[in-house]
Amino acid sequence: MPTDRDRDALRPGEVAVDAGAPGDARLRFIGRIHTPWATRDDCPRQGRMDGPECRVEVFAPWDAALKGLEAYETVELLYWLDRGRRDLVLQSPKSDGVTTGTFALRSPVRPNPIGTSLVRLVKVSGSNLIVRGLDCLDGTPLVDIKPDRCEFTPKAPPKG
Ligand code: SAM
């Protein structure tokens, strides 16, 4: 069973560059995502709205920023895919020597590993969101939460 470290090994045709140390953009992680998946192989490639319920924990003081979110059925989550390499320009997703540019893929391996998912908001419970539709490892840092742009106007006016 390959580990995530094994999965970081270069595959035939893949090209890594000297990307230097990531001088991260001083993001504030606003929370942590709790999912059933411990390894990258366990994770779905893309989440599905009928996937398992996952818990999105929002840290204080940012939990106060959840006010009004309960009015939305779907929200967009941005998260930091923190456990992959960040230096590939060409990738071979099928390990078959056929390569594609990083920016033509939704692979987690990218210079700034931001993942996005449109998820179904099951409920807001205090500082936690219960959602379906995720595809990230347990403990993945949360970068941002936005209401679905297609539903920019909430179905019901925000409470309070
Ligand atoms: N839905 C997001 C997107 O399109 O931007 C992420 C898609 S990416 C293909 C999802 C895959 O990233 C998962 O199947 C898993 O292999 C990997 N992954 C999930 N969480 C990760 C993490 N915290 N660090 C590194 N890789 C992760």
Coordinates of all heavy atoms in Angstrom, one line a residue, residues 8 25 33 35 42 45 67 74 79 94 102 104 106 108-110 115-116 125 142 151 155 157:
D8 N 4.6 11.0 -3.5 CA 5.4 12.2 -3.8 C 6.6 11.9 -4.7 O 7.2 12.9 -5.3 CB 5.8 12.9 -2.6 CG 4.8 13.8 -1.9 OD1 3.8 14.1 -2.7 OD2 4.9 14.1 -0.8
A25 N 2.2 33.0 1.9 CA 1.7 34.4 1.8 C 1.0 34.9 3.1 O 0.0 35.6 3.0 CB 0.7 34.4 0.6
I33 N -10.6 21.3 8.9 CA -11.7 20.5 8.3 C -11.5 19.0 8.8 O -10.4 18.5 8.8 CB -11.6 20.5 6.8 CG1 -11.8 22.0 6.3 CG2 -12.7 19.6 6.2 CD1 -11.7 22.1 4.8
T35 N -12.6 15.2 8.4 CA -13.2 14.3 7.4 C -12.8 12.9 7.8 O -12.0 12.7 8.6 CB -12.6 14.6 6.0 OG1 -11.3 14.1 5.9 CG2 -12.7 16.1 5.6
D42 N -7.3 7.5 0.3 CA -8.6 7.3 0.8 C -9.6 8.4 0.3 O -10.8 8.1 0.2 CB -8.7 7.4 2.3 CG -7.9 6.3 3.0 OD1 -7.7 5.3 2.4 OD2 -7.5 6.5 4.2
R45 N -11.4 12.0 -5.4 CA -10.7 13.0 -6.2 C -11.4 14.3 -6.1 O -10.8 15.4 -6.2 CB -10.6 12.5 -7.6 CG -9.5 11.4 -7.7 CD -9.0 11.3 -9.1 NE -7.8 10.5 -9.0 CZ -6.7 10.6 -9.8 NH1 -6.7 11.4 -10.7 NH2 -5.7 9.8 -9.6
K67 N -22.2 34.5 10.8 CA -23.6 35.1 10.9 C -24.2 35.2 9.5 O -23.6 35.9 8.6 CB -23.5 36.4 11.6 CG -24.9 37.0 11.8 CD -24.9 38.3 12.5 CE -26.3 38.9 12.7 NZ -26.2 40.3 13.1
T74 N -25.8 26.0 -0.4 CA -24.5 25.6 -0.8 C -23.5 26.7 -0.6 O -23.8 27.9 -0.8 CB -24.4 25.2 -2.3 OG1 -25.0 26.3 -3.1 CG2 -25.2 24.0 -2.6
Y79 N -9.5 25.7 0.9 CA -8.6 25.0 2.0 C -7.2 24.8 1.4 O -7.0 25.0 0.2 CB -9.3 23.7 2.4 CG -10.0 22.9 1.4 CD1 -9.3 21.8 0.7 CD2 -11.3 23.1 1.0 CE1 -9.9 21.1 -0.2 CE2 -11.9 22.4 0.0 CZ -11.2 21.4 -0.6 OH -11.8 20.6 -1.6
K94 N -1.7 9.6 -14.1 CA -1.9 8.2 -14.3 C -0.6 7.4 -14.2 O -0.6 6.2 -14.4 CB -2.6 7.9 -15.6 CG -4.0 8.4 -15.7 CD -4.7 8.0 -16.9 CE -6.1 8.6 -17.0 NZ -6.6 8.6 -18.4
T102 N 0.7 21.6 -14.6 CA 0.1 21.7 -13.3 C -1.2 22.6 -13.4 O -2.2 22.3 -12.8 CB 1.1 22.3 -12.3 OG1 2.1 21.3 -12.1 CG2 0.4 22.7 -11.0
A104 N -3.2 22.9 -15.8 CA -4.2 22.3 -16.5 C -4.8 21.1 -15.8 O -5.5 20.3 -16.3 CB -3.7 21.8 -17.9
R106 N -6.4 19.7 -11.7 CA -6.9 20.1 -10.4 C -6.2 19.3 -9.3 O -6.6 19.2 -8.1 CB -8.4 19.9 -10.3 CG -9.2 20.8 -11.2 CD -10.6 21.0 -10.7 NE -10.8 21.7 -9.5 CZ -11.1 23.0 -9.4 NH1 -11.4 23.7 -10.5 NH2 -11.3 23.6 -8.3
P108 N -3.7 18.3 -6.2 CA -3.3 19.0 -5.0 C -1.9 19.5 -5.1 O -1.5 20.3 -4.3 CB -3.5 18.0 -3.9 CG -3.4 16.7 -4.6 CD -3.9 16.8 -6.0
V109 N -1.1 18.9 -6.0 CA 0.3 19.3 -6.1 C 0.4 20.6 -7.0 O 0.2 20.5 -8.2 CB 1.1 18.1 -6.8 CG1 2.5 18.5 -7.0 CG2 1.0 16.9 -5.9
R110 N 0.7 21.7 -6.3 CA 0.7 23.0 -7.0 C 1.5 23.9 -6.2 O 1.6 23.7 -4.9 CB -0.7 23.5 -7.4 CG -1.7 23.4 -6.3 CD -3.1 23.4 -6.9 NE -3.4 24.1 -8.0 CZ -3.7 23.6 -9.3 NH1 -3.8 22.3 -9.4 NH2 -3.9 24.4 -10.3
G115 N -7.3 24.3 -2.4 CA -8.4 23.5 -3.0 C -9.7 24.2 -2.8 O -9.8 25.0 -1.8
T116 N -10.6 24.0 -3.7 CA -11.9 24.6 -3.5 C -13.0 23.5 -3.7 O -12.8 22.6 -4.6 CB -12.2 25.7 -4.5 OG1 -12.3 25.1 -5.8 CG2 -11.1 26.8 -4.5
S125 N -23.7 24.7 13.4 CA -23.9 24.4 14.8 C -22.8 25.1 15.6 O -21.7 24.7 15.7 CB -23.8 22.9 14.9 OG -23.9 22.5 16.2
L142 N -8.4 25.3 6.9 CA -9.4 26.0 6.2 C -8.9 27.5 5.9 O -8.4 28.1 6.8 CB -10.7 26.1 7.1 CG -11.9 26.8 6.6 CD1 -12.4 26.1 5.3 CD2 -13.0 26.9 7.6
E151 N -25.9 31.7 -5.8 CA -27.0 32.0 -4.9 C -26.6 33.2 -4.1 O -26.7 33.2 -2.9 CB -27.2 30.8 -4.0 CG -27.5 29.5 -4.8 CD -27.9 28.4 -3.8 OE1 -28.1 28.6 -2.6 OE2 -28.1 27.3 -4.3
K155 N -31.7 32.7 0.2 CA -33.1 32.3 0.0 C -34.0 33.0 1.0 O -35.1 33.4 0.7 CB -33.2 30.8 0.1 CG -32.6 30.1 -1.1 CD -33.0 28.6 -1.1 CE -32.5 27.8 -2.2 NZ -31.9 28.5 -3.3
P157 N -33.9 36.0 4.3 CA -33.0 37.1 4.8 C -32.3 36.5 6.0 O -32.8 35.7 6.8 CB -34.0 38.1 5.3 CG -35.4 37.7 4.8 CD -35.3 36.3 4.4

